[in-house]
Amino acid sequence: MDNCLFCKIIKGEIPCYKIYEDEYTLAFLDIAKDVDGHTLVLPKKHFKNILDVDDETLKHVIETVKLVSKHYTSNCGFNGINIINNNEECAEQSIPHLHIHILPRKDNDNYKVFPSLSGAKHSLEENLEKLRIN
Ligand code: ZN
């Protein structure tokens, strides 16, 4: 897409701190600089998010997420990884091009990555009744 920030990065119109690239995917450092190694993995083909991506493209994306995660933990001194993916504006998706965040973790880094939420409004039974895939 012409006005998509990530498509411009993929086309090389905007520079990035490239970690890995293959035929289908690109991984680069998030410029937020909030934690060391915060990396984004995205497909080169434009999809908004996981709700519209085809399965084959998603497979390539998650394979690259695994490759980068294994590299960070095997070769770069990290002990673990958080993987985060936001879909649609209500879920805090900021750039409308599918991307998966990798947050490398070290023992005792004390980052609070997993959200502390206010509590479910319905019982587990009510949620199960509404959400179960039959
Ligand atoms: Zn795009």
Side-chain angles (χ1 to χ4, degrees):
M1 283 180 58
D2 289 345
N3 58 352
C4 171
L5 172 64
F6 286 171
C7 283
K8 288 179 179 175
I9 290 174
I10 290 162
K11 283 187 268 182
E13 296 173 5
I14 296 174
C16 70
Y17 295 92
K18 188 187 300 180
I19 295 292
Y20 174 79
E21 180 177 20
D22 62 25
E23 183 179 352
Y24 306 103
T25 64
L26 177 66
F28 56 88
L29 295 177
D30 191 306
I31 60 171
K33 297 190 289 186
D34 47 4
V35 297
D36 290 325
H38 183 169
T39 302
L40 304 179
V41 176
L42 44 131
K44 289 187 171 178
K45 196 171 164 188
H46 181 93
F47 293 94
K48 183 175 183 188
N49 58 40
I50 201 164
L51 300 173
D52 70 340
V53 68
D54 66 78
D55 290 352
E56 190 66 21
T57 300
L58 183 60
K59 178 176 162 288
H60 293 304
V61 170
I62 202 67
E63 285 172 346
T64 297
V65 168
K66 180 178 178 181
L67 183 150
V68 173
S69 298
K70 295 277 284 183
H71 172 66
Y72 284 177
T73 54
S74 298
N75 305 321
C76 302
F78 292 102
N79 307 111
I81 295 287
N82 286 104
I83 295 169
I84 299 173
N85 171 239
N86 303 328
N87 300 280
E88 300 295 336
E89 290 77 7
C90 65
E92 302 176 60
Q93 181 177 8
S94 55
I95 305 291
H97 182 128
L98 171 64
H99 57 288
I100 294 180
H101 299 258
I102 296 175
L103 300 178
R105 302 297 301 271
K106 288 187 176 177
D107 295 340
N108 305 311
D109 63 20
N110 294 318
Y111 299 154
K112 291 291 178 203
V113 172
F114 203 80
S116 177
L117 302 173
S118 57
K121 295 177 176 61
H122 302 282
S123 70
L124 288 173
E125 291 77 13
E126 289 170 323
N127 279 315
L128 177 64
E129 187 63 33
K130 183 179 179 182
L131 301 174
R132 178 174 37 219
I133 299 172
N134 293 314

